[in-house]
Each structure stands twice: as structure tokens, then as C-alpha cells.
Amino acid sequence: MVRSPGRVATLVAVPAALLTGVLMFWLLGGFPAAPRSSASTPATQAFGPVSVSPPALDEPAATVCRALIAKLPASLRDRTRRPVSAGAEQAAAYGDPPIVLACGGVQPQVPQDAQLLGLSGVCWFAEEQASGQTWSTVYRTVPVRVTVPKAYDQPGQWVVDFSAPIVDAVPLMAGVSADASQVCAPPSPR
């Protein structure tokens, strides 16, 4: 069988070009190295109980909180859910250091000029704390607070993962629109 010089050149050039491309991609950092440990990506995670002090609940709030806790995922991204020391029917914790969700208590005191953030159908108010940020739901019949330690970059990106279970389990206050574009608008007067 006689092969044409063009065909032989193609059979040699294509694999050589592919090999050169892969080699250059690797040399320019295209293949990620093994993940390095950082404050936002702990190398190990504790699995023991997280100390929480949940507030007392009346029966309607307890029913809503139990429904919310039942809808929470087993993990938050790569952070495994951990047991809590008290109030497992109204609190959950994930990762190390723990991101803690607490359901119930008093409605947050939101300043008039506060920036409210609508994240996936939930209106949130974030407060800076010495140890991180506390995010509180606004305009929900039962308040939900999520505490994200300083060790985590972009706390809102962690909080948004709780929005879907909150939308499913915690009703909006009367007069608040469920329209995602209006979720942070104050309730309309009756």
C-alpha cells in the first residue's frame, strides 16, 4: 500500500500537535495542583457536637423550625452537617469552624438605612461581628439566623445555600410579596 506524502505528514503532525498542546497547557499551569489548605478550605473537619443556645419557641414557631430543619441538606458544599449540643429541632451546624443556622427567637432589629440583600427568594440582613457575620432573614414569620465565621470567604455565598429550604418552610409575613424581585420590599400596609 502506497501512502501519499500529505497523508503521512498529517498522521505525524496531528499527534505531535496534540502532545505539544497538552504539554504547553500543563507548563502554563492548566492542570490544577493538589488543593492547598487555607482558612476557607480546612484540611480536616471536626465532627463533634457544636455548642448552641437556641431560644425558646412557642408551638407555631417550633412547627415552622422543625419543618425547616427537616429540609436542610446533609452537607453544605463540602462541609458536613454536625450535631448540635441543644435544640436539634431548630438549629444546625456545618463544617469546621461551624457555620450555624438557628431558627426562632425575636425578629432582627434592622436599621432604616440597612442594606438588605435578596438571595434566591429570601431577604437577608447581614451584621458584622467580631468572629464573622450573622445573617438574619427579614419579613419571615419566624426569623432564621446564620452565623458564618471569618474563616470563610464571601459569607453570602454560604448563606444563599439556605435560601431554598427557608422559602419552602418559613412563610412570608402578611403583605410581603413572594415575587423574587420584591422580596426585600417592606410589607404593604393594609
Side-chain angles (χ1 to χ4, degrees):
M1 172 154 80
V2 176
R3 294 191 181 185
S4 71
R7 178 175 252 176
V8 171
T10 301
L11 290 173
V12 171
V14 169
L18 285 173
L19 183 59
T20 302
V22 169
L23 180 62
M24 291 307 294
F25 185 74
W26 176 69
L27 289 173
L28 294 173
F31 295 107
R36 294 180 302 198
S37 179
S38 72
S40 64
T41 312
T44 59
Q45 177 179 318
F47 293 97
V50 174
S51 179
V52 296
S53 300
L57 300 176
D58 59 15
E59 190 51 40
T63 300
V64 168
C65 289
R66 282 191 298 270
L68 172 61
I69 296 302
K71 292 183 181 292
L72 294 177
S75 62
L76 188 64
R77 298 186 191 177
D78 63 342
R79 304 312 195 262
T80 304
R81 189 162 168 181
R82 296 173 59 186
V84 292
S85 62
E89 69 283 352
Q90 70 186 96
Y94 295 85
D96 184 28
I99 295 171
V100 178
L101 176 141
C103 180
V106 297
Q107 292 289 342
Q109 296 297 314
V110 181
Q112 286 285 65
D113 62 344
Q115 179 183 3
L116 301 178
L117 301 170
L119 302 174
S120 297
V122 176
C123 187
W124 293 96
F125 168 59
E127 294 179 275
E128 196 69 38
Q129 309 287 327
S131 60
Q133 284 188 345
T134 298
W135 291 64
S136 302
T137 58
V138 181
Y139 307 134
R140 295 281 164 175
T141 58
V142 177
V144 177
R145 286 175 182 73
V146 177
T147 303
V148 182
K150 278 194 182 292
Y152 295 96
D153 294 332
Q154 302 177 337
Q157 296 299 317
W158 293 93
V159 171
V160 74
D161 291 344
F162 293 113
S163 290
I166 290 170
V167 167
D168 287 345
V170 185
L172 286 165
M173 292 178 167
V176 176
S177 172
D179 180 6
S181 65
Q182 298 294 318
V183 75
C184 284
S188 57
R190 292 198 167 217

